[in-house]
Amino acid sequence: MSDSVRTLLILIPGLPLLSAVVTALLGRRVLRHWSHLPTILALGASCAMSLMLLLEVRQPAPDDSTSGSVRFAQVEPLWTWIDVKDAFELNGQSRDFTVEVALRADSLTSVMLVMVTFISTLVAIYAAGYMRGDDGYGRFFAYISLFVFSMTMLVSVSNFVLLYVFWEAVGACSYLLIGFWFQKPSAAAAGKKAFLVNRIGDFGFAIALFLIWTTYGSLDFHGPDGIFGDKLLSGEAAYVGGGVGLAICLLLMVGACGKSAQFPLHVWLPDAMEGPTPVSALIHAATMVTAGVYMVTRCSPLFFASAADPYVVGYGLDAVAISAPMVVAGIGAFTALLAGLIALTQNDLKRVLAYSTVSQLGYMFLSLGTGSLIGITAGMFHLFTHAFFKALLFLGSGSVMHSMGHVIDMRRFGGLRKIMPYTHWTFLVGCLALAGVFPLAGFFSKDAILIEVFVQGHSHSPTAAYYQVLYCVGIVAALLTAFYTFRAFFMTFYGPLRVPAEAGDHAHESPMSMVAPLCILSVFAATVGLLLSSSFGQFLVQTPSLAYVAGQEAAHATGSHHDHHHAHQLVATTSTLVALLGIGLAAFLHLGNRSQAQWLATRWWSAWFYRLSYGKFFFDEIYIVLIVWPLRLVAGFSYLIDRYLIDGIVNLCGAIPPMIGSRLRSTQRGIVQYYAFASIFVLMFFLVAALYFNDFVN
Amino acid sequence: MVAPGDGKKLREGVAMVEYELHLLHNYLIVGALLFGIGTIGFLARRNMIVMFLCVEMMLQGVSLSLVAWGRYHGNWGGQVLVIFILAVAACEAGIALAMFLMLYRRSGNLDMIFWQSLREENQSETVDVEIPEPDEADHQWPILTPAGIEPDHDTEKPLHRSHV
């Protein structure tokens, strides 16, 4: 068993890497319009092997521990990358700084691997149709393969340093793919923006790693001293709470905010829609942006420790206890609401979906922020289901774009259900899943999140009131989700048939290679929630770090099962009603002649809100004034210093030799006698000087 | 104890040393003169062959002082070196004269002033204030008077070239 796991772990990222190299080397000259073949084959094989790995991990661990909960994690070290002896002393013990390139197989990893490889295989098949005829056909698939390699490595490495490395690698792939059409200035700018905003998050992540190293003396996940290793998980050593624990968690959260586009670093994701649509579906909806959620889930013991030992600010009655999960939940809920409000009025189909992604990621963080095991697994479950229906929606919007001649403004087309029946029906499934209508995938995962927040809000802990507010925010965001999703759906597929001039007179359904992935995804988006809602959490809890949380919760059990059952009915009813209300509202405003929407946008009491939402709450403008302009000023000042002061000094030094030379040049006249005279004269001078000094010395 | 004949020997010895020193001085003076004349000739003349001859003269001045020093020190080192110098000078003369020949073929002239193209850029060519035009007189060679006949002393006929 161990050998097969090792082989699978190496091959799952290895095949995409191989295909990236092959496509990059041969794509332009040899493969040309067959460039998609290596990628599709490699990703398909990776997907099959990920499923095999999932089955391996599913088997219960052979031995089992005393704690009752089943843990399974297998770590396969490949080689040692960095090895520094006695790098650091912690509590009188010297620690070696070693970075072992080790891959791990546990429930969390295998779930992420299955999701990533499955979605990427379908997206690669779709892209073979979507990107046909593009100049950079081979380049595109090389990037996609490289991205899948980086992403699979990101979820399977067992070390914080390597996690950081591949965290950056997926960021670089994202940059390359957003700016894929780099001749377009807006695409180049969007790529740069995504890269720079991500740097801020990565900076926080890097500092979090430094803090983890100085606090725990290790950056490995596994091993006796590892962060999720034997000693810490078994309680032999304790996780650090208080100020340091909070700082670590918040800095990790800064990194997650950058990668997963949470407030205040959410501004890059909507602009990232400049990239090709398959990229938006794969990277900016399903996989890369969920890396932050994965990372926080992986680090859940750290967050749990912060919740158990919050950092208290102030004294006496004014004291406020801050714990990391509260902050995570707050950021998540606020982002979910904010992005939902912005998505209400956007006219660009892909941007609506982008803000929807931001909003759903906010849901996931809200769920992780409950700090409980059920909340964490619910967040991961939402990540899993969201990947299917959001990829479906993006691919559907790409299909619309493909036949509309790359027009994406929803005001310019409508009534497409007659032209594009497949896209229409699959898009409808995606919308229903996103809105959370029973029995599609989104209903189960979103409900699981809301239930857990609701339960936290009605517990006896001092944070209950806080979570009650967040629950209300979550319900409002669910309403917004249903509304903007169906607004986009109705605007695109209903009303009188309108086709923009760019589409020409050949507007038609997309080719088979694009429709097939849509159909497959829609089947999964419809069923995955129902099939997995009960077993997903049980499977995921085998992950060591989640098993730790489960063990800790069991130790401090408060018996909330009754609450859960009661909450389930209430929340399910509420959220279904809210989703139907949102759909109904969207139908009322956008299904008919849309005069009500126009009317609403021009009333004095609602126009200000319309403008605020349409302008994306002016975050870009605020950032430009607060951050970009001051930085530009400093850069301009530095430029002047460099250009005139530093360069001036250098040029001055450089000007001295020519100045001397210009004086002496007139002596170089090319006449032999002059040179002879100079050498004889100089020789005589030195002879006389030597004689004189000899006399002087002796 | 000083032997009876010692004083004479001593005097003779002192005289020998003084004689050798004088001899050395004389040869060094001649060598220095040869070197100096050669130097001045090299600096002052423009005909390449004459300049070459001047260089040879400098070389001979050096050789002479080497031989003189060799004699003064009572060993053959100086003379051995001079033999080497002669051999090298012969080779050098061969090369130099061949080069002069090629230069003459190109410019039709042996004047060093025609070969100043190694000067710095933007430096104007050095031009003589007046390069004397080769006139008829230059090509007239001295005429030997027939033996035994009283030459007619024509004062208007130049007897030799005005310059080389």
Side-chain angles (χ1 to χ4, degrees), chain A residues 661-662 664-678 680 683, chain B residues 39 42-43 45-46 51 112-113 115-121 123-126:
Chain A
S662 71
L664 292 177
R665 190 169 297 138
S666 61
T667 62
Q668 306 287 313
R669 312 208 55 148
I671 297 176
V672 179
Q673 277 88 354
Y674 284 16
Y675 298 120
F677 178 75
I680 288 166
L683 187 71
Chain B
T39 308
F42 183 78
L43 293 180
R45 302 303 293 268
R46 299 205 319 211
M51 282 165 72
M112 209 65 200
I113 202 77
W115 298 98
Q116 46 175 311
S117 50
L118 276 180
R119 67 180 181 278
E120 272 292 319
E121 243 178 311
Q123 288 293 312
S124 58
E125 198 177 356
T126 308

Side-chain angles (χ1 to χ4, degrees), chain A residues 291-311:
Chain A
V293 180
Y294 163 78
M295 190 259 281
V296 173
T297 307
R298 177 65 80 194
C299 299
S300 46
L302 300 176
F303 287 81
F304 192 82
S306 173
D309 179 14
Y311 180 62

Side-chain angles (χ1 to χ4, degrees), chain A residues 48-68:
Chain A
M49 284 186 290
S50 300
L51 284 168
M52 285 159 71
L53 186 71
L54 186 77
L55 292 178
E56 294 273 8
V57 173
R58 237 183 109 74
Q59 321 217 325
D63 73 4
D64 211 62
S65 49
T66 50
S67 69

Side-chain angles (χ1 to χ4, degrees), chain A residues 367-452:
Chain A
S367 178
L368 298 179
T370 57
S372 64
L373 177 72
I374 298 174
I376 293 166
T377 50
M380 280 306 294
F381 189 42
H382 196 50
L383 185 158
F384 191 70
T385 56
H386 173 256
F388 291 102
F389 58 72
K390 191 51 70 64
L392 168 62
L393 287 173
F394 265 112
L395 295 185
S397 77
S399 172
V400 170
M401 233 175 126
H402 194 65
S403 71
M404 292 297 114
H406 289 271
V407 171
I408 197 65
D409 190 335
M410 290 186 290
R411 287 168 299 189
R412 298 188 53 198
F413 48 70
L416 299 183
R417 71 181 184 283
K418 291 176 193 114
I419 305 179
M420 315 178 72
Y422 287 104
T423 309
H424 165 241
W425 286 113
T426 52
F427 206 87
L428 176 63
V429 172
C431 286
L432 287 172
L434 176 57
V437 174
F438 184 83
L440 290 104
F443 170 79
F444 292 96
S445 53
K446 195 180 285 183
D447 250 25
I449 293 172
L450 288 173
I451 289 165
E452 186 52 30

Side-chain angles (χ1 to χ4, degrees), chain A residues 61-80:
Chain A
D63 73 4
D64 211 62
S65 49
T66 50
S67 69
S69 61
V70 181
R71 274 177 203 174
F72 178 79
Q74 188 172 336
V75 179
E76 291 294 341
L78 301 182
W79 72 88
T80 303

Side-chain angles (χ1 to χ4, degrees), chain A residues 27-28 31-36 124-141 180-181 183 276 278 402 406 511 513-514:
Chain A
R28 201 161 184 81
L31 294 168
R32 281 186 229 159
H33 60 277
W34 295 105
S35 294
H36 57 273
I125 294 169
Y126 177 92
Y130 187 85
M131 299 298 289
R132 181 160 296 281
D134 195 279
D135 283 342
Y137 197 64
R139 187 161 59 93
F140 180 82
F141 284 99
F180 181 75
W181 288 312
Q183 299 92 339
H402 194 65
H406 289 271
S513 66
M514 289 166 69

